[in-house]
């Protein structure tokens, strides 16, 4: 019996839309990363981008558990001496979609393929998105489920 290996361009990607209202960032990001990598498909191949497109709306309404809004810090280096940093609450005011984007980016593999996967992620702070022509399927992600297996629930 031979193993199946997907060829680049052989699988037609699907489009999903996710409403991030009142979803915990980490749970939502791990589910999105799974879909972007293609691990939800039986045809998953590690060296081929077999993932689907994900549109996230209402990214400004995501939540953190505990005191992460005050304690979680994002740092970056600008090229000048010293690090810049801001808390999660400050980032939510300035760029709310970047909170979820960074969480998903850090859950993807650290290689060239991850950059292709990240291009399939579309995040919008409000409820509107310009991708109606792709006819995205609504899907429920980031839900804490009881039991042994996690399933992606179509809405």
């Amino acid at each position: 019996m031979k193993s199946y290996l997907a060829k680049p361009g052989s699988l037609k990607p699907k489009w999903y839309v996710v409403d991030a209202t009142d979803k915990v960032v980490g749970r939502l990001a791990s589910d999105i990363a799974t879909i972007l990598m293609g691990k939800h498909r039986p045809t998953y191949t590690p060296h081929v981008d077999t993932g689907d497109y994900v549109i996230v709306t209402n990214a400004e309404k995501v939540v953190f558990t505990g005191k992460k809004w005050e304690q979680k810090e994002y740092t970056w280096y600008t090229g000048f001496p010293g690090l810049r940093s801001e808390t999660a609450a400050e980032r939510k005011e300035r760029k709310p979609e970047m909170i979820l984007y960074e969480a998903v980016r850090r859950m993807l593999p650290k290689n060239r393929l991850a950059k292709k996967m990240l291009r399939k992620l579309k995040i919008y702070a409000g409820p509107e998105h310009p991708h109606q022509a792709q006819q995205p399927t609504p899907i429920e992600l980031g839900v804490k489920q009881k039991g042994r297996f996690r399933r992606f629930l179509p809405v």
Side-chain angles (χ1 to χ4, degrees):
M1 185 168 172
K2 293 187 177 182
S3 297
Y4 174 80
L5 291 177
K7 304 230 179 342
S10 65
L11 297 173
K12 188 173 187 310
K14 296 178 184 173
W15 286 72
Y16 295 108
V17 63
V18 178
D19 185 15
T21 305
D22 298 328
K23 298 288 171 71
V24 178
V25 174
R27 288 192 190 115
L28 182 61
S30 65
D31 288 348
I32 290 172
T34 302
I35 290 177
L36 290 176
M37 285 186 277
K39 285 192 167 188
H40 65 293
R41 291 183 174 210
T43 57
Y44 170 70
T45 306
H47 64 278
V48 178
D49 187 9
T50 58
D52 295 324
Y53 286 83
V54 178
I55 304 163
V56 180
T57 58
N58 293 318
E60 63 192 4
K61 296 179 183 175
V62 294
V63 296
F64 277 120
T65 56
K67 298 179 181 177
K68 291 190 188 97
W69 287 118
E70 296 85 30
Q71 293 177 351
K72 183 173 180 63
E73 285 209 348
Y74 294 94
T75 58
W76 65 95
Y77 182 63
T78 63
F80 289 96
L83 285 173
R84 301 283 192 263
S85 67
E86 65 184 356
T87 64
E90 293 168 351
R91 176 151 297 183
K92 184 179 181 181
E93 290 177 16
R94 198 168 63 87
K95 290 184 183 178
E97 60 275 351
M98 287 302 291
I99 290 175
L100 192 58
Y101 179 84
E102 283 295 313
V104 172
R105 182 184 69 82
R106 292 171 180 173
M107 291 184 186
L108 291 175
K110 306 334 182 237
N111 56 22
R112 285 185 234 160
L113 199 55
K115 291 179 184 176
K116 290 182 182 179
M117 293 174 191
L118 267 176
R119 286 187 211 126
K120 294 182 174 187
L121 177 63
K122 317 293 183 186
I123 302 178
Y124 299 98
E128 299 298 320
H129 66 84
H131 304 287
Q132 284 84 13
Q134 283 74 27
Q135 299 171 347
T137 306
I139 191 169
E140 185 75 22
L141 298 179
V143 179
K144 185 176 182 181
Q145 295 180 355
K146 295 179 182 177
R148 194 163 172 197
F149 300 105
R150 294 178 67 159
R151 298 280 183 240
F152 301 118
L153 306 171
V155 176

